[in-house]
Amino acid sequence: MSHPFAALTPDLVLDAVESLGYLSDARVLALNSYENRVYQVGIEDQTPLIAKFYRPQRWSDAAIREEHSFTFELAECDVPVVAPMARDGETLFEHGGFRFALFPRRGGRAPEPGNLDQLYRLGQLLGRLHAVGATRPFAHREHLGVDNYGHASLATLLDGGFIPRSLLPAYESVARDLLDRLDSLFASTPVQAIRLHGDCHPGNLLCRDDTFHMVDLDDCRMGPAVQDLWMMLAGERHERLGQLSELMDGYQEFHDFNPRELPLIEGLRALRLMHYSAWLARRWDDPAFPPSFPWFGSERYWGEQVLVLREQLAALNEEPLRLF
């Protein structure tokens, strides 16, 4: 059977945009997106629009609208985000069996790793995000936890037979040891779950005209605040300590941070690693994935994963980062 996205042709993309009253100039540029499909669509005598077509059966309509509502809530509080465009009060549309949303085009540069001045400003941005996110919970979007990001990921990989037999015992052993450690870590570190960006890597924080703005809240969910912070840190421990200090100086101008969350950083990194492998496995029937990730399934990839997870297990036994 063909994948649902196989029916998402350029003509259908243009028809969907024009169904909302826009006149396209017939230019369609596919952008770098795998989970959903995202296109830049030229509009006659206007700035191009961004059309995002949601992966079928991933999020419910209520969950997508909750993402949009959160984005508008942030924008109303002057948090710089790229919000979807509304038409007659609606932001989620349907055409040809696909749900989609339109966004204004925004460009920019990703943050420079280790740039302390940028980290201060990013801390301010994330503090403002979390000040809004902490005011109430999501009703239709999941929590980030060891069960769904860890145990479910391992089950996907084992049940699907994605790990080469030669490396299966080693991977399963280190993954189960790691999950046992993570179960204990998260159980002993009670934190307040708030609404998060959820996938706050540098590519989703863009700078333009000396101002950072956030894009792509598709993975927003409930979880610990530190989930949106740890991917801003890079380098050796002494470098990350300095970066964390600068990030927190900006962050705590707008929202209090609970330092008890810091021991979760390496655990969250481990969960992201496992979840990424499982994400590739779950999407392998999508024709866009095998040519884009040809190394997935190779012994080299899984050998590297065994080593990386062992490193994460060791990192969990090291002293966590601290605020000074």
Side-chain angles (χ1 to χ4, degrees), residues 1 6 30 40 80 94 137 153 179 193 212 234 318:
M1 294 178 63
Q40 177 177 292
E94 191 277 335
S153 295
L179 289 172
F212 280 101
E318 297 176 358

Side-chain angles (χ1 to χ4, degrees), residues 116-228:
L116 297 183
D117 178 60
Q118 289 188 345
L119 283 169
Y120 176 79
R121 288 184 289 148
L122 288 170
Q124 292 179 311
L125 174 58
L126 294 172
R128 295 165 67 191
L129 164 68
H130 289 173
V132 177
T135 57
R136 57 188 176 90
F138 283 131
H140 303 285
R141 302 184 76 86
E142 67 180 14
H143 282 64
L144 187 162
V146 181
D147 284 341
N148 55 357
Y149 265 55
H151 290 285
S153 295
L154 180 59
T156 293
L157 297 171
L158 296 180
D159 294 346
F162 290 96
I163 306 170
R165 292 181 61 183
S166 61
L167 292 166
L168 179 58
Y171 184 89
E172 183 175 3
S173 175
V174 69
R176 292 198 185 282
D177 288 345
L178 189 55
L179 289 172
D180 287 344
R181 182 72 175 83
L182 294 178
D183 283 332
S184 176
L185 172 65
F186 278 74
S188 63
T189 314
V191 297
Q192 178 189 5
I194 64 173
R195 291 177 294 173
L196 305 169
H197 183 288
D199 189 28
C200 199
H201 59 78
N204 281 334
L205 296 167
L206 302 179
C207 182
R208 184 175 185 178
D209 299 327
D210 293 325
T211 299
F212 280 101
H213 61 270
M214 289 180 290
V215 298
D216 193 10
L217 272 75
D218 191 64
D219 280 304
C220 63
R221 62 194 66 231
M222 300 293 294
V226 73
Q227 166 64 11
D228 279 348

